[in-house]
Amino acid sequence: MTVIVPDSNFMASPSFLIIILLIIILQLRERKIKLRKLIIMPVILSIITIPMIYVEIYSIFNAVVIFFGLLIGVLMGFLISRFMEVKMNEDGSMVMKGSLIAVLLWAAIIVVRIYGKSAVSSMRIIDLNLLTAMFLIMAVGAMISRRIFIYWKYVNFKKNAALKQDSIN
């Protein structure tokens, strides 16, 4: 399997930072959601994140650290989603706003990965690439679990609406 890893020149370029900024802006606006579009942002973030993580899985220790990062991210996502407001309209559409915490965490980790290598490397506590890979997978895991929770809320809303309709008839 061939994995394409973006080179550090592209990731430090203004174009890459503009892409990150656009993702943040799109995530933070309140918008009407169609159920099938819930998967788009996690897929985009995964496409950007997985190559950065894949290169760090060269030992069992790193794989375990990254796995625990994913597990923590999923748990964080479910906790964050408990406090997210998802509005359900009578027509069955959903309106929601992205989580500022998750998006800023994801963007900050990428910026630290690009620009903070020398600062973290000089501390010699943990490898910066492993640390950022763990936090990146945490952010993606949190986003995916939030979307699963939103889907669950939508299904429950539809079920309750159908039950209410049956009781009226």
Side-chain angles (χ1 to χ4, degrees):
M1 180 167 105
T2 304
V3 176
I4 299 171
V5 179
D7 65 343
S8 60
N9 293 334
F10 173 71
M11 292 194 322
S13 73
S15 301
F16 184 73
L17 295 176
I18 289 171
I19 290 170
I20 299 300
L21 184 63
L22 285 173
I23 289 172
I24 291 171
I25 290 169
L26 289 174
Q27 269 301 105
L28 295 180
R29 65 185 170 89
E30 186 172 274
R31 64 204 180 278
K32 194 180 245 188
I33 295 178
K34 294 183 179 165
L35 196 58
R36 66 181 184 276
K37 290 186 178 182
L38 276 177
I39 192 85
I40 292 173
M41 192 52 71
V43 167
I44 291 170
L45 292 184
S46 295
I47 288 171
I48 293 171
T49 302
I50 288 174
M52 293 181 193
I53 292 169
Y54 183 77
V55 296
E56 294 305 318
I57 305 176
Y58 53 83
S59 72
I60 293 174
F61 174 75
N62 287 13
V64 168
V65 168
I66 290 171
F67 174 76
F68 277 115
L70 177 63
L71 194 63
I72 291 168
V74 168
L75 293 173
M76 279 178 24
F78 279 121
L79 288 174
I80 291 170
S81 65
R82 302 291 277 172
F83 300 107
M84 281 181 62
E85 185 177 339
V86 178
K87 300 172 190 168
M88 301 288 184
N89 295 335
E90 290 301 320
D91 64 354
S93 63
M94 294 184 291
V95 178
M96 72 170 245
K97 189 174 184 178
S99 170
L100 179 65
I101 296 168
V103 174
L104 288 180
L105 175 67
W106 182 79
I109 292 166
I110 289 180
V111 169
V112 166
R113 183 176 180 117
I114 295 168
Y115 298 110
K117 283 188 176 188
S118 60
V120 174
S121 298
S122 65
M123 290 186 234
R124 297 182 190 245
I125 296 172
I126 189 168
D127 180 40
L128 172 70
N129 293 332
L130 177 60
L131 184 65
T132 57
M134 182 185 74
F135 283 122
L136 282 171
I137 198 71
M138 282 173 61
V140 171
M143 176 178 282
I144 291 169
S145 64
R146 275 193 335 269
R147 300 297 172 105
I148 290 169
F149 190 79
I150 291 165
Y151 176 75
W152 179 74
K153 279 184 174 181
Y154 178 79
V155 168
N156 283 338
F157 174 77
K158 285 292 194 180
K159 231 186 262 183
N160 291 338
L163 288 174
K164 198 182 289 184
Q165 186 67 26
D166 286 344
S167 67
I168 291 173
N169 294 334

